[in-house]
Amino acid sequence: MPNPQRGTHNGSCIMQFTSTRDESHQAPLAAALADGLAPDGGLYVPTAFPDLGPEAFDGLERIEAIAERLLRPFFAGDRLEDALPAICAETFSFPVPLRDLKDDTAVLELFHGPTAAFKDVGARFLASGLSRLNAGAAEPVTILVATSGDTGAAVAAAFHQKPNVEVIVLYPKGRVSDRQEKQLTGWGGNVLTVAVQGVFDDCQQLVKAAFRDDWWQTHRRLSSANSINLGRLLPQMTYYAAASLWYQRRHGARPGFIVPSGNLGNALAALYARACGLPIGDVVMATNANRPVTHFLETGDWQPFDTEETLATAMDVGDPSNMERVRYHWSDVEALRHAVRAERITDDAIRRQIRRGPAVWGEVWDPHTATAVEVREQTSTPHWILVATAHPAKFEQIVEPLIGDTVPVPEALAAVMDRAAPAPEIAPSLDALRDVVVAREEQQRAAARE
Ligand SMILES: *Cc1c(COP(=O)(O)O)cnc(C)c1O
């Protein structure tokens, strides 16, 4: 497969998605969303990208309208096509401001949703799409999701009380912030949260193993909501589209994006948006001290690493799941080097950027966004958009001592944290996970009998 190519989709036929492992396997959008993973264990990718220059968005200003225009070709001929406007409207129930800072730099604030991180966008879009697809199904679909903190909270919030969908969230015990833990737990109803004694990669391995496991295959209709699901990736393209158009209209220049990166879904969405013809310049992945991405770009040699714990916990990933998509699209590392840059940012630099944020930028950065700020300061060219992936109030234990001030909690986030309750804790094994799920089913059956 070539690099994501511009203008290869004519918009009138049904858009197909293919597996990274077997191009002969193709599926329409609805199937790709519902299944999460392709049957061969690969990840779904678009077979083509529409050709949409800035002129295709003339007269469109609001992000919902831009999203609808951008995604229409991806929904062409699909069961969900008619629902696209409603899905976009439901997704963006909160603002996504692009604010100009100094030095030809702007910040795209993706943290105004219910769980105060960018993952609300993808999770709400997926929840909206999947609940529509399942509206008439006999059996609920189970969304199994591994989280390094933010995904699980966003998915739980987005799917909570959606009919015909159950959610199981796995998070690494002791490796998320107190406030993240509060957002992950206490949902109840159709959401089960489980604390895994391990790191994020253990959680991710459990999800992958469940998809291959007989018990899970026969007892549950499984789907995923990790950034491996296309239903997360596609909507993430929309804020790159909107921000690049807004920036170009304001400043007459095409901006680059600096994206705090872990599993690489967010940065890949920027590359996809650029492939659709949006006015996007360079894309830089800002990683924390974890080295799989920078090591690969430097050496051309792909290998996962053990996860290293850093201050930017949501990016503590040693084996990024979207690397499979990246390597599928850019099978030649030299081509990939032309498409994207990556910079590894230490915890010391993260701390320094948070500390000086108020004085230098007039901003309080969260530890993830701080990696992008560090990259910006290392870069002398103009016209960059910093992608702010989380609100600093989510990581107050790191941020507040560094700035010597408190960070007010956004109202939406406070409401979510009020629900908190302890989650069952398990060893990182499929057996232990099954036991918790079975126990929960029995509890629910007993409750239903009463
Ligand atoms: C998930 C997350 C990231 C990393 O995004 P990827 O798409 O996994 O690369 C960065 N910052 C925050 C706050 C996150 O929650």
Side-chain angles (χ1 to χ4, degrees), residues 43-391:
L43 309 187
Y44 281 111
V45 290
T47 50
F49 291 86
D51 187 3
L52 299 169
E55 41 325 316
F57 299 88
D58 280 351
L60 304 181
E61 179 65 22
R62 293 160 50 106
I63 193 164
E64 304 91 297
I66 292 169
E68 202 185 311
R69 179 73 194 90
L70 174 66
L71 296 180
R72 204 180 296 147
F74 294 94
F75 279 63
D78 192 77
R79 269 175 69 193
L80 282 173
E81 183 170 16
D82 293 345
L84 177 63
I87 294 173
C88 290
E90 275 177 37
T91 301
F92 293 106
S93 59
F94 52 87
V96 181
L98 178 72
R99 292 177 39 237
D100 286 318
L101 304 175
K102 61 177 185 129
D103 297 341
D104 300 312
T105 304
V107 60
L108 179 63
E109 292 183 351
L110 300 178
F111 53 67
H112 295 283
T115 67
F118 81 90
K119 293 187 176 83
D120 282 324
V121 175
R124 293 177 66 78
F125 188 91
L126 183 62
S128 180
L130 275 186
S131 63
R132 282 184 166 75
L133 287 176
N134 275 294
E139 191 197 343
V141 66
T142 299
I143 309 284
L144 189 55
V145 58
T147 184
S148 55
D150 291 334
T151 294
V155 168
F159 282 91
H160 186 237
Q161 291 178 336
K162 285 257 191 261
N164 246 3
V165 184
E166 289 180 6
V167 178
I168 302 174
V169 180
L170 308 178
Y171 75 95
K173 181 71 192 171
R175 289 181 162 81
V176 301
S177 77
D178 285 354
R179 283 187 181 169
Q180 278 180 318
E181 189 162 33
K182 284 191 181 149
Q183 294 164 54
L184 284 165
T185 63
W187 290 98
N190 63 332
V191 179
L192 168 64
T193 304
V194 180
V196 175
Q197 294 152 351
V199 295
F200 168 68
D201 285 320
D202 294 314
C203 300
Q204 195 154 258
Q205 287 307 323
L206 274 180
V207 169
K208 287 186 183 161
F211 270 88
R212 292 189 300 262
D213 182 81
D214 283 347
W215 186 84
W216 285 92
Q217 288 300 333
T218 48
H219 282 76
R220 293 275 175 156
R221 211 150 58 82
L222 279 187
S223 187
S224 87
N226 279 92
S227 56
I228 54 179
N229 193 308
L230 261 183
R232 297 262 313 272
L233 210 44
L234 295 180
Q236 288 173 5
M237 294 164 58
T238 68
Y239 46 73
Y240 293 105
S244 67
L245 292 164
W246 294 334
Y247 193 95
Q248 197 184 43
R249 289 170 189 169
R250 271 185 222 167
H251 302 287
R254 71 170 47 210
F257 284 91
I258 307 173
V259 188
S261 294
N263 265 315
L264 311 184
N266 207 9
L268 182 60
L271 301 179
Y272 278 5
R274 191 173 62 188
C276 295
L278 272 306
I280 295 172
D282 291 340
V283 175
V284 185
M285 297 166 170
T287 75
N288 59 25
N290 285 276
R291 56 180 75 237
V293 183
T294 46
H295 179 268
F296 178 51
L297 280 168
E298 278 158 22
T299 64
D301 181 24
W302 165 245
Q303 63 174 99
F305 284 79
D306 287 341
T307 305
E308 214 173 298
E309 289 180 42
T310 76
L311 294 172
T313 46
M315 292 153 48
D316 287 351
V317 182
D319 186 0
S321 51
N322 278 295
M323 193 51 107
E324 180 159 337
R325 284 193 173 104
V326 170
R327 296 179 67 216
Y328 169 82
H329 291 302
W330 294 273
S331 48
D332 167 23
V333 74
E334 200 42 52
L336 180 60
R337 287 181 185 130
H338 285 289
V340 71
R341 224 171 78 204
E343 302 289 343
R344 208 172 131 244
I345 305 304
T346 63
D347 273 357
D348 279 347
I350 289 173
R351 266 188 220 100
R352 189 176 67 244
Q353 290 300 352
I354 295 172
R355 202 179 290 122
R356 59 204 287 282
V360 175
W361 292 95
E363 297 290 316
V364 177
W365 305 120
D366 92 283
H368 306 81
T369 308
T371 63
V373 182
E374 173 70 14
V375 171
R376 176 67 190 101
E377 292 194 4
Q378 293 172 3
T379 309
S380 55
T381 52
H383 303 305
W384 288 96
I385 295 178
L386 309 173
V387 177
T389 51
H391 192 286

Side-chain angles (χ1 to χ4, degrees), residues 179 391-393 400 406-410:
R179 283 187 181 169
H391 192 286
E400 290 182 350
T406 54
V407 183
V409 178

